Amino acid sequence: MKGSSVKPHEKLEGIYWITLPGGERRLATLSQAPGINVYGETTHKFKGGEYRVWDPHRSKLAAAILKGLTDIPIGKGTKVLYLGAASGTTVSHVSDIVGPKGHVFCIEFAQRSFRDLVNNVCKDRPNTSPILEDARFPVRYRSLVPEVDCVYSDIAQPDQARILAENMDMFLAENGGFLFAVKARSIDVTRNPSQVFQEEARVLKERGYKVTHTVRLDPFEMDHCMISGRK
């Protein structure tokens, strides 16, 4: 991508801005598996590193960052429990961010998505561990996941907040944080999404967790929001 430049994000460790020749800025991460393309993303080589453009239409975390979320408890060396890893699009960027000293424990229940996760992401990234399990039952993978610094949840279940809380109760470190991608239509298609978001945040607060920010993800993901917080 001749004529482009790369600079670190102003507030977020391990995240970068690529400025294209026309002046457009795109989010990016420094690849932990250079030469490996995960989902058709554009790459840019700069000063010995390979940077991957992070598409907000394919990743809710990228969308949340572009919508202004800066309370993100993921950085270099962070241990992350990722609930609902799917085929690994966002997992791959989280892997880039945490780097070789961090780790991403990837929980995915659907076998086809799990196969894609392994083949497209985890086989090339030693800082990721794919776990074929159901996030509703964290006790099943208790022996596979240590204490983590962040729990990231992106699951399509009607009791999303409860599932996240159960996992945080079991795995989250004392000063850890969380990121919660809420899918309003998976919870209740008849209610206003804003009401659903407020209800999910309330569930977390009642479980003893502090909600710090709530960001709507429109227009990248309709009827979705990202909730961040701390233990």
Side-chain angles (χ1 to χ4, degrees), residues 38 86-88 110-122:
V38 175
S87 59
Q111 291 192 8
R112 181 174 180 177
S113 294
F114 185 80
R115 184 171 62 248
D116 291 340
L117 171 68
V118 172
N119 292 335
N120 297 339
V121 178
C122 296

Side-chain angles (χ1 to χ4, degrees), residues 151-173:
V151 178
Y152 185 105
S153 180
D154 185 3
I155 53 178
Q157 295 287 342
D159 53 346
Q160 295 168 29
R162 183 197 64 79
I163 295 170
L164 170 58
E166 294 288 342
N167 279 269
M168 291 195 292
D169 289 350
M170 188 166 292
F171 299 109
L172 189 60

